[in-house]
Amino acid sequence: MSDLSADLSALFDSPVAAGPKSAWPLRWGAPTAEQRGPLIAARDPTQRNVIGTYAGVYSIYRALAIAARGLASNHQPNLTNTSPAARIGPHPQWAGEDKIVSLDPWGHLVGEVFRAERARGIDIRPTIAVTRAHVDMPEIRAAFEAGRIKADGDVVSAQGLVRVMKAAIDPVWYLPGVARRFGITESDLRESLHENTGGMFPELVSRPDLEVFLPPIGGSTIYCFGDPQKLGDTRYPLACRVHDECNGSDVFGSDICTCRPYLAHGVELCIEMAQAGGAGLVVYNRKEGRALGEVTKFLVYNARKRDRNGDTPASYFTHTEGVAGVRDMRVQELMPDVLHWLGITHIDRFASMSDMKIDALTEAGITIGESVPLPDGLIPTDARVEIEAKLAAGYRGGGAIQVEAPALGRGLGE
Ligand SMILES: [Zn+2]
């Protein structure tokens, strides 16, 4: 037996994996990190108190690197000088089992709050990292050159660079809380996750005592404009864009949807709010193609473009449902958690028209002052089919968008 398969069988056959409670019990929602206890997704089965492993979707690459002998299986991160570049929390929302169920609120602080445990060799890793950066987006540079955004030496430099605090967040699911959020039983959730991932995580069904799952899915990144200490402080107004990834538009400028234009408009609103003494926040969620994935998305593009009746708002969702079975899998029910993590209870200007996002925030107790629609002039010609389909399906704030005759999209001949 190879070392690797010996390791694997140790993981699944050991007495600990078979049943006894972890030596490190977790109390999700406890008011302090010490009372909550560390999340331990170590390889050593005697340490583990969660299902899954660190690094979200990248855990698979780590496994491959270890298999290919490119990475020592016992490597533990050296966290010297990696602590958060801005203080976030603790906020009252961090306590209790209901406000936050899909990330670890203490995830950026493990180097500090679990220093003693880490010093004893327990493999506890951050699931959140907080740093600072400058961003330089062509749309923002155009706004700077047009005089809509001005240098202030703080948020925007004389050269037009924008200062941000940003944080990367890996998903951490508290299974009883996730189940409650969707109104299903925890056992139905565990069985579905087990059955529909090819049995990838046997502990979902064999270890009901392990209540936390680190799923191998994409996480979120937040960008904060202005002083991060103003986030969650209702004395300061907040502009916010919650954006779900659309790689084709966000990065490559595809003109079939409004994703990048809305993202850039959201960034401009955030800068404007930060310069007016408030703060701005962009939450970027890795939920490509409404969490249906890019393969599904491109199949749908072809179905739309080859439709005998043309690409129209009326058939926009029909094609998605035909390929994927549903219109959307983004589970906006979990989206408010990151705002709870930041202590946010009110958004003054929300750069979105999505009824699903607005409803999810309202349901989570986060109030919205104003939903800011995408200006008509920023909608690419070929994205009118999408925006009109969404308006017909419940998008808010459509008064700002002119619909004279239903839009027609292009055919496949590009
Ligand atoms: Zn898009």
Side-chain angles (χ1 to χ4, degrees):
M1 194 184 276
S2 72
D3 288 352
L4 185 68
S5 47
D7 284 352
L8 284 174
S9 49
L11 185 62
F12 293 114
D13 300 344
S14 73
V16 171
K21 298 228 184 274
S22 166
W24 301 89
L26 278 175
R27 278 174 285 273
W28 191 267
T32 66
E34 188 184 19
Q35 290 169 288
R36 204 288 305 275
L39 299 175
I40 312 171
R43 280 169 49 96
D44 178 353
T46 63
Q47 294 185 5
R48 294 172 60 78
N49 63 5
V50 302
I51 303 165
T53 187
Y54 298 115
V57 66
Y58 299 101
S59 59
I60 303 296
Y61 285 106
R62 191 175 68 236
L64 184 57
I66 292 169
R69 305 284 188 255
L71 172 64
S73 62
N74 62 355
H75 173 78
Q76 288 203 29
N78 175 353
L79 298 183
T80 306
N81 289 334
T82 65
S83 65
R87 186 84 203 173
I88 295 175
H91 292 289
Q93 290 92 328
W94 293 17
E97 291 194 0
D98 291 317
K99 288 276 186 201
I100 297 177
V101 300
S102 62
L103 59 86
D104 175 9
W106 304 98
H108 55 314
L109 298 173
V110 303
E112 177 185 326
V113 297
F114 300 121
R115 187 186 305 276
E117 291 85 348
R118 292 193 81 253
R120 288 166 52 194
I122 310 294
D123 186 7
I124 305 166
R125 303 187 184 193
T127 57
I128 298 176
V130 182
T131 189
R132 289 181 185 274
H134 292 107
V135 296
D136 187 0
M137 294 171 66
E139 293 90 339
I140 300 307
R141 191 155 282 282
F144 181 71
E145 280 156 14
R148 294 202 305 280
I149 291 175
K150 295 190 168 52
D152 58 11
D154 178 22
V155 181
V156 181
S157 73
Q159 294 75 37
L161 291 176
V162 183
R163 252 171 26 110
V164 295
M165 176 277 282
K166 61 181 181 177
I169 304 165
D170 280 339
V172 175
W173 286 9
Y174 173 59
L175 294 169
V178 172
R180 267 199 297 279
R181 195 73 64 90
F182 290 92
I184 57 177
T185 66
E186 186 187 337
S187 61
D188 281 353
L189 174 64
R190 286 172 177 265
E191 279 166 25
S192 183
L193 288 169
H194 182 246
E195 284 170 18
N196 296 299
T197 56
M200 194 172 183
F201 297 98
E203 291 160 312
L204 283 166
V205 288
S206 69
R207 292 291 305 274
D209 59 304
L210 299 179
E211 296 185 311
V212 173
F213 174 43
L214 275 51
I217 60 174
S220 303
T221 310
I222 61 163
Y223 283 81
C224 171
F225 302 80
D227 181 357
Q229 293 305 310
K230 292 180 178 173
L231 293 174
D233 185 335
T234 49
R235 288 175 301 172
Y236 303 99
L238 176 68
C240 177
R241 164 82 185 156
V242 174
H243 190 86
D244 295 325
E245 177 176 34
C246 172
N247 184 267
S249 171
D250 294 345
V251 178
F252 291 96
S254 157
D255 62 349
I256 200 169
C257 60
T258 56
C259 299
R260 179 165 176 118
Y262 221 154
L263 176 63
H265 186 59
V267 170
E268 189 172 335
L269 293 178
C270 286
I271 295 169
E272 195 179 277
M273 191 63 97
Q275 291 192 321
L281 175 70
V282 171
V283 180
Y284 191 93
N285 295 317
R286 299 304 178 317
K287 293 179 185 171
E288 177 60 62
R290 296 193 212 116
L292 304 171
E294 208 168 37
V295 169
T296 295
K297 183 180 194 171
F298 290 5
L299 295 173
V300 172
Y301 285 161
N302 280 347
R304 284 174 54 192
K305 293 177 197 173
R306 291 173 186 167
D307 189 317
R308 280 162 198 260
N309 299 312
D311 180 28
T312 63
S315 61
Y316 175 84
F317 286 114
T318 314
H319 289 302
T320 310
E321 284 166 353
V323 178
V326 292
R327 291 180 175 196
D328 199 305
M329 283 189 202
R330 281 179 288 181
V331 293
Q332 299 294 0
E333 290 87 343
L334 300 176
M335 174 271 283
D337 289 23
V338 67
L339 301 179
H340 290 318
W341 178 60
L342 294 164
I344 291 166
T345 55
H346 180 73
I347 297 167
D348 294 85
R349 303 200 79 202
F350 187 51
S352 174
M353 299 158 73
S354 164
D355 50 324
M356 286 182 290
K357 290 175 187 167
I358 293 167
D359 292 348
L361 291 169
T362 307
E363 182 73 19
I366 296 169
T367 51
I368 296 171
E370 177 195 2
S371 162
V372 184
L374 180 63
D376 197 291
L378 293 182
I379 302 170
T381 307
D382 272 329
R384 296 205 74 91
V385 171
E386 179 217 66
I387 199 91
E388 289 179 21
K390 288 179 170 178
L391 285 170
Y395 245 38
R396 309 279 169 83
I401 292 171
Q402 305 293 322
V403 182
E404 278 147 17
L408 291 175
R410 62 193 172 196
L412 192 66
E414 65 240 36

